[in-house]
Amino acid sequence: MQGKKSMTILIVVVLLVAGLVVFVASRPDQFRVERSALIQAPPAALQAQIEDFHQWPHWSPWARRAPAMQVDYEGAERGVGAIQRWVGNKEVGKGSATILESEPGQRVLIQLEFLEPFRASNLAVFRFQPEGGGTRVNWSMTGHNGFIGKAMGLVFNMDKMVGGDFEQGLQQLRMRVEES
């Protein structure tokens, strides 16, 4: 009798775990986080801040979270081929950003490689659209969700986690260029 009860419990646990695995595997393979802000500045002024990694400490939300963050610059001074590598505290981790494309007044495409606290390879895009005497800046990030990423997505909402950072960064970018 005891053995039959143990076997029933084991079967239920195996079915629950299998169900969870199937559910996690069915989650989206891609994620996207996106925020925008209307900033009273021309696209060129905004693009100058974004495609020059030396300017990021002035407006990036992560620079303020890790004031002792070590940042190294490689490649081009700005625009396509510019690279920044960072090592920071546990909030900002370790990784690199490389500008892949820069279309004047239109967009900047950046390859992000996160090494710590987790490994990920994502694309960030800044788009500029003239609007009402200013510029609508759209900041997005897309990436692939492997099984672990899908499982983490059940507990952590990427849009809420990173979206707030994007909002803060856009606000700081607004203050930087509007006050210049």
Side-chain angles (χ1 to χ4, degrees):
M1 188 66 168
Q2 187 68 8
K4 189 174 185 179
K5 189 174 182 179
S6 295
M7 185 57 108
T8 301
I9 291 172
L10 179 62
I11 289 171
V12 168
V13 168
V14 167
L15 289 174
L16 287 172
V17 169
L20 181 61
V21 167
V22 169
F23 179 72
V24 167
S26 72
R27 307 301 300 154
D29 289 333
Q30 301 288 322
F31 72 86
R32 180 177 184 83
V33 177
E34 184 172 0
R35 295 293 187 278
S36 71
L38 181 60
I39 299 177
Q40 298 305 313
L46 296 158
Q47 190 159 1
Q49 291 291 313
I50 293 165
E51 71 175 13
D52 181 353
F53 287 131
H54 298 90
Q55 299 303 315
W56 282 50
H58 302 292
W59 60 268
S60 167
W62 300 288
R64 293 179 185 210
R65 283 205 196 119
M69 178 169 47
Q70 177 188 342
V71 180
D72 295 312
Y73 304 98
E74 298 174 21
E77 186 69 21
R78 60 180 291 151
V80 175
I83 301 168
Q84 77 168 336
R85 298 184 191 286
W86 71 87
V87 177
N89 60 22
K90 65 181 179 177
E91 288 187 64
V92 300
K94 178 180 180 181
S96 68
T98 304
I99 298 179
L100 300 178
E101 297 176 14
S102 182
E103 298 172 36
Q106 300 291 315
R107 75 180 186 130
V108 176
L109 175 67
I110 301 171
Q111 177 70 50
L112 300 169
E113 297 296 334
F114 299 100
L115 303 175
E116 293 176 5
F118 54 86
R119 288 193 171 275
S121 183
N122 301 329
L123 286 175
V125 180
F126 291 86
R127 295 186 188 280
F128 313 103
Q129 180 68 42
E131 181 181 314
T135 302
R136 170 78 48 191
V137 180
N138 183 308
W139 185 359
S140 66
M141 181 174 69
T142 56
H144 179 75
N145 278 330
F147 185 82
I148 299 299
K150 292 178 182 184
M152 289 177 61
L154 297 176
V155 180
F156 302 104
N157 183 317
M158 180 69 83
D159 187 74
K160 287 182 182 176
M161 286 174 32
V162 178
D165 292 337
F166 284 11
E167 290 167 9
Q168 181 184 14
L170 288 168
Q171 177 61 27
Q172 291 169 185
L173 181 60
R174 173 187 286 122
M175 291 186 316
R176 175 131 174 103
V177 298
E178 288 181 356
E179 293 173 2
S180 296

